[in-house]
């Protein structure tokens, strides 16, 4: 069961909603505080059946590998209702993560409590938090569905800005992909 500390949608520039007891594919339960000590957190809302989410997986894996030593942690969160979307059960999430080689935790938000709290409506969509857990970016991973056509790496640019102690130059972008299966 997911427990969100607040039910108000997250506001850019404000402290992000906390959460606790969120189940993950590794059998653990995570809280926002599980990631204390990280300079930057990227909450990446994914859906196993969404072609757009699938198309950004390799880029997310590469980003985590390249930035982990700099204090960045990606956390994938699946908000889709597993009863209405069979590819989004915890078991199927585990299969997908292992097959792709996810190098970040993959959490299940079965009633979309976290998605609602963070103002997320589709997959993939990302919320980036700074070291004080203030929401600094919300939006897409890339500017294109096809990795070969990517011109802007919006998530990476937001992370780079935060690591350079700058304001995020583009704090919000329009995410595209699949609607969350509520």
């Amino acid at each position: 069961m997911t427990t969100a500390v607040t039910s108000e949608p997250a506001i850019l520039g404000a402290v992000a909603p906390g959460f606790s007891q969120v189940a993950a594919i590794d059998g653990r339960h995570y809280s926002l505080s599980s990631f204390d000590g990280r300079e930057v957190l990227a909450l990446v809302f994914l859906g196993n059946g969404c072609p757009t989410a699938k198309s950004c997986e390799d880029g997310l894996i590469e980003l985590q590998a390249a930035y982990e030593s700099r204090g960045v942690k990606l956390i994938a969160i699946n908000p889709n209702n597993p009863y209405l979307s069979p590819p989004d059960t915890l078991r199927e999430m585990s299969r997908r993560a292992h097959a792709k080689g996810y190098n970040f935790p993959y959490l299940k938000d079965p009633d979309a409590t976290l998605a609602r709290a963070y103002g997320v409506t589709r997959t993939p969509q990302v919320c980036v938090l700074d070291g004080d857990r203030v929401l600094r970016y919300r939006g897409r991973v890339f500017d294109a569905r096809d990795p070969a056509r990517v011109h802007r790496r919006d998530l990476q640019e937001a992370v780079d800005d935060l690591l350079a102690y700058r304001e995020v130059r583009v704090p919000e972008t329009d995410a595209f992909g699949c609607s969350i299966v509520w």
Side-chain angles (χ1 to χ4, degrees), residues 97-119:
H98 287 99
K100 288 300 295 181
Y102 283 13
N103 53 357
F104 41 80
Y106 196 12
L107 285 58
K108 182 62 185 162
D109 180 21
D111 56 4
T113 299
L114 291 177
R116 285 183 179 93
Y118 280 88

Side-chain angles (χ1 to χ4, degrees), residues 40-122:
V40 176
L41 287 181
L43 307 179
V44 184
F45 291 83
L46 295 176
N48 279 2
C50 178
T52 307
K54 288 178 179 181
S55 73
C56 73
E57 289 171 317
D58 290 338
L60 294 170
I61 292 165
E62 291 168 11
L63 182 73
Q64 180 61 63
Y67 283 73
E68 184 163 22
S69 66
R70 297 177 65 192
V72 175
K73 187 66 176 175
L74 272 62
I75 304 156
I77 301 170
N78 185 318
N80 288 332
N81 182 328
Y83 300 105
L84 298 176
S85 180
D88 294 306
T89 64
L90 202 56
R91 180 183 200 140
E92 292 301 316
M93 289 169 52
S94 181
R95 285 185 182 156
R96 180 86 190 156
H98 287 99
K100 288 300 295 181
Y102 283 13
N103 53 357
F104 41 80
Y106 196 12
L107 285 58
K108 182 62 185 162
D109 180 21
D111 56 4
T113 299
L114 291 177
R116 285 183 179 93
Y118 280 88
V120 171
T121 59
R122 50 185 72 275

Side-chain angles (χ1 to χ4, degrees), residues 19 29 31 33-34 49 79 82 87-88 93 97 101-102 106 110 117 126 132 136 145 157 163 166 170-171 174 177 182:
F19 59 85
H29 288 80
S31 301
S33 64
S34 301
D88 294 306
M93 289 169 52
Y102 283 13
Y106 196 12
V126 183
D132 294 323
R136 298 295 180 186
R145 287 180 171 87
E157 290 174 17
L163 290 175
R166 295 186 298 252
V170 181
D174 291 328
W182 306 102

